[in-house]
């Protein structure tokens, strides 16, 4: 989950009021902080870890709702949209047809926890549907989770891109460089997930993927989180960046990240026969 959290922190000060000029910008400044992207990623991780790998739809959705509401109420000023904030505070939270990129920015734990792509896509959809039950909102979450699953299983970038184009009908024919300076702020899945993927595709390192995403001057924290979550599965995450991110996280958040890492590592050993 470090990819989503670091992309969120790095992109956070540049959304809206402080634009970057290209990719040469400070990674961390005094205003770098976690936002709703990190908080909800932690919430989804907690929920999926709690129910286990074989949970059915009802249990997954109930766990996601409970965890998201718990963490959202603990961090009420993390930058939620109006409809989502109302959902967080509701006694009877219902999906509200959103196709915003909130479903895609929080889904990364689903990309790491399951043995098959089909199961990954199934759970990714459930994490989206508790709020973002519009087809585009569901597809955005599934596409990000699929990219993470494929990347962590050793697929090359061209194969990941072909899968996203074929299975999700995304146009990924552009480059980050061509888009830079022409992209408009867009919080929809269809208007930010493909761009975030291309930011990863065009990168030569984990850091470069996040720089590409932020350099578009769009929804910088969320696009950084999406690109970073995919890049983490493909590249090494520098230790100095993790150390910086830890400064923004509570002990409770760190406990969930530790459990997530232990679970992912145990799954790897199980699948590959390593003690």
């Amino acid at each position: 989950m470090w990819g989503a959290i670091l992309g969120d922190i790095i992109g956070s000060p540049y959304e809206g009021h402080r634009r970057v000029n290209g990719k040469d910008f400070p990674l961390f400044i005094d205003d770098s902080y976690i936002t709703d992207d990190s908080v909800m990623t932690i919430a989804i991780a907690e929920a999926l870890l709690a129910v286990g790998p074989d949970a059915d739809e009802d249990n997954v959705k109930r766990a996601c709702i409970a965890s998201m509401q718990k963490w959202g109420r603990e961090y009420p000023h993390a930058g939620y949209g109006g409809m989502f904030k109302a959902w967080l505070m509701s006694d009877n939270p219902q999906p509200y047809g959103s196709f915003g990129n909130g479903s895609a920015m929080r889904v990364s734990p689903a990309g790491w926890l399951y043995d098959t792509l089909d199961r990954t896509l199934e759970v990714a959809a459930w994490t989206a549907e508790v709020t973002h039950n519009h087809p585009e909102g569901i597809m955005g979450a599934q596409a990000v989770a699929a990219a993470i699953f494929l990347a962590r299983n050793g697929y090359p970038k061209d194969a990941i891109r072909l899968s996203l184009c074929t299975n999700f009908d995304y146009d990924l024919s552009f480059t980050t460089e061509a888009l830079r300076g022409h992209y408009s702020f867009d919080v929809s899945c269809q208007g930010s997930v493909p761009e975030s993927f291309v930011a990863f595709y065009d990168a030569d390192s984990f850091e470069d993927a996040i720089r590409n995403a932020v350099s578009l001057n769009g929804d910088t924290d969320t696009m950084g989180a999406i690109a970073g979550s995919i890049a983490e599965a493909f590249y090494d995450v520098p230790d100095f960046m993790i150390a910086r991110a830890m400064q923004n996280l509570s002990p409770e958040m760190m406990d969930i990240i530790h459990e997530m890492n232990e679970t992912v590592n145990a799954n790897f050993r199980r699948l590959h026969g390593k003690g």
Side-chain angles (χ1 to χ4, degrees), residues 66-258:
S67 187
M68 290 163 69
Q69 287 199 314
K70 182 191 80 172
W71 283 97
R73 293 174 184 185
E74 186 171 343
Y75 290 86
H77 306 298
Y80 311 105
M83 292 182 70
F84 185 75
K85 191 166 187 177
W87 181 92
L88 285 176
M89 302 303 167
S90 173
D91 292 332
N92 183 29
Q94 298 295 320
Y96 49 90
S98 176
F99 50 79
N101 54 21
S103 60
M105 59 80 162
R106 70 190 186 219
V107 76
S108 59
W112 286 96
L113 288 173
Y114 304 104
D115 295 348
T116 67
L117 180 58
D118 284 346
R119 179 61 171 170
T120 298
L121 295 173
E122 181 177 55
V123 176
W126 295 343
T127 70
E129 287 169 353
V130 294
T131 53
H132 294 54
N133 58 336
H134 187 283
E136 290 287 353
I138 297 167
M139 186 168 74
Q142 289 184 310
V144 173
I148 294 169
F149 177 89
L150 295 173
R152 73 176 176 87
N153 281 289
Y155 283 74
K157 285 185 175 182
D158 284 344
I160 302 171
R161 182 170 68 170
L162 178 61
S163 176
L164 296 188
C165 291
T166 302
N167 295 315
F168 300 100
D169 199 29
Y170 282 142
D171 176 10
L172 303 174
S173 61
F174 56 92
T175 66
T176 306
E177 183 177 359
L179 194 62
R180 191 176 295 121
H182 305 285
Y183 178 70
S184 298
F185 187 91
D186 193 328
V187 299
S188 70
C189 274
Q190 58 268 41
S192 61
V193 170
E195 291 77 6
S196 300
F197 175 78
V198 172
F200 154 72
Y201 184 83
D202 289 345
D204 57 19
S205 68
F206 173 78
E207 178 181 326
D208 197 40
I210 294 175
R211 287 189 179 277
N212 280 339
V214 174
S215 74
L216 295 177
N217 285 303
D219 190 2
T220 51
D221 56 345
T222 295
M223 293 176 70
I226 294 170
S229 69
I230 303 169
E232 178 188 13
F234 197 87
Y235 295 109
D236 292 332
V237 181
D239 289 341
F240 84 91
M241 296 177 73
I242 292 176
R244 176 59 177 79
M246 289 172 64
Q247 298 175 23
N248 292 85
L249 303 175
S250 69
E252 294 77 14
M253 288 178 167
M254 288 301 305
D255 286 343
I256 293 170
I257 293 171
H258 177 73

Side-chain angles (χ1 to χ4, degrees), residues 38-93:
S38 294
V39 175
M40 289 300 113
T41 297
I42 293 285
I44 293 299
E46 180 186 63
L48 299 184
L49 289 167
V51 298
D54 301 318
D56 63 15
E57 179 177 357
D58 286 344
N59 282 325
V60 169
K61 287 185 173 180
R62 276 198 297 268
C64 287
I65 291 168
S67 187
M68 290 163 69
Q69 287 199 314
K70 182 191 80 172
W71 283 97
R73 293 174 184 185
E74 186 171 343
Y75 290 86
H77 306 298
Y80 311 105
M83 292 182 70
F84 185 75
K85 191 166 187 177
W87 181 92
L88 285 176
M89 302 303 167
S90 173
D91 292 332
N92 183 29

